[in-house]
Every structure is written in structure tokens, then in C-alpha cells.
Amino acid sequence: MMGEHPYDVYYNKLLPALISKVEEFRLLNYETAETKTLWRYLLNKKWKKIDEERPLSRLVGDILSVKPGEYMNYMQIAAFKTPEWGEPLSDQDMAFLFDPRKDRE
């Protein structure tokens, strides 16, 4: 799928667990849950520290143990960090993007 994280090679094998978890979230009225965003959550939060020896069964367990609140908090923070496509940037954002100084964070 993405290929940047060592666990990406397991995506297709883990897809049934991801789908199952997303369906569970939707039954709990978390309608915006999606397999790709759940996968990103796992890569960026649960699996941030990579364990090369982690068995596939443990990865499935990690997926099935995700709580809706954890996932939704991640999604809210991600939404705040990314501007909507097509939304114009503010003058301040534009100035920041084109600022030639190298010492800014």
C-alpha cells in the first residue's frame, strides 16, 4: 500500500481485521471511520515504535483493541493539522510558506 512503514507489507493480510474494526465503529455510530484512516492511526500511534519481531497475531490484536475514543481523538487532531483541499491559505500561512529564513521552526 504505502510502503514507508515496515508493517505496510502486512496491510492486505490485516485488511479483514481493519474492516471488522471499522464496521464495529460504525455500529457504535462513528460513521466517519475508514480502513485507510484506521491504518494511518495504527502506523502513527500504536506502531510508532517498530518491533521487527511482532507476530501477525499481535498486529491483529492491536487492531481489534483500538478504542473508538483513541481513534476519534487522532482523527480530530489530524483534521486540525491539515487544511481542507481547495480552501485558500490565509495571508499569514502564505507568508510563512514563502519566508526565506532558515532559522524558523
Side-chain angles (χ1 to χ4, degrees), residues 26 28 39-40 44 46 49 63 68 74 80 94 102:
R26 289 183 178 169
L28 297 170
W39 183 250
R40 278 198 308 269
N44 293 326
K46 275 249 198 239
K49 185 175 179 182
I63 293 168
Y74 171 79
F80 285 125
M94 290 295 282
K102 302 284 187 235

Side-chain angles (χ1 to χ4, degrees), residues 59-101:
L59 297 177
V60 170
D62 290 343
I63 293 168
L64 298 179
S65 70
V66 174
K67 294 181 177 30
E70 297 169 338
Y71 170 73
M72 294 310 290
N73 284 341
Y74 171 79
M75 292 303 298
Q76 282 184 317
I77 291 167
F80 285 125
K81 287 182 178 177
T82 24
E84 293 293 318
W85 284 106
E87 181 179 307
L89 293 173
S90 70
D91 291 340
Q92 183 180 6
D93 290 337
M94 290 295 282
F96 180 80
L97 284 173
F98 293 101
D99 185 356
R101 289 180 294 152

Side-chain angles (χ1 to χ4, degrees), residues 32-67:
T32 59
E34 294 179 8
T35 54
K36 287 183 181 178
T37 53
L38 178 59
W39 183 250
R40 278 198 308 269
Y41 162 77
L42 290 159
L43 296 179
N44 293 326
K45 292 294 178 185
K46 275 249 198 239
W47 301 329
K48 196 173 197 174
K49 185 175 179 182
I50 297 154
D51 176 4
E52 299 293 341
E53 302 297 314
R54 183 173 247 151
L56 199 57
S57 60
R58 181 114 178 260
L59 297 177
V60 170
D62 290 343
I63 293 168
L64 298 179
S65 70
V66 174
K67 294 181 177 30

Side-chain angles (χ1 to χ4, degrees), residues 1-2 7-24 34-40 42 47 56 59-61 63-64:
M1 187 177 157
M2 291 144 229
Y7 297 165
D8 281 336
V9 296
Y10 301 119
Y11 180 81
N12 288 329
K13 288 184 178 180
L14 295 171
L15 194 54
L18 292 165
I19 291 169
S20 175
K21 194 59 169 178
V22 166
E23 287 173 353
E24 176 188 325
E34 294 179 8
T35 54
K36 287 183 181 178
T37 53
L38 178 59
W39 183 250
R40 278 198 308 269
L42 290 159
W47 301 329
L56 199 57
L59 297 177
V60 170
I63 293 168
L64 298 179

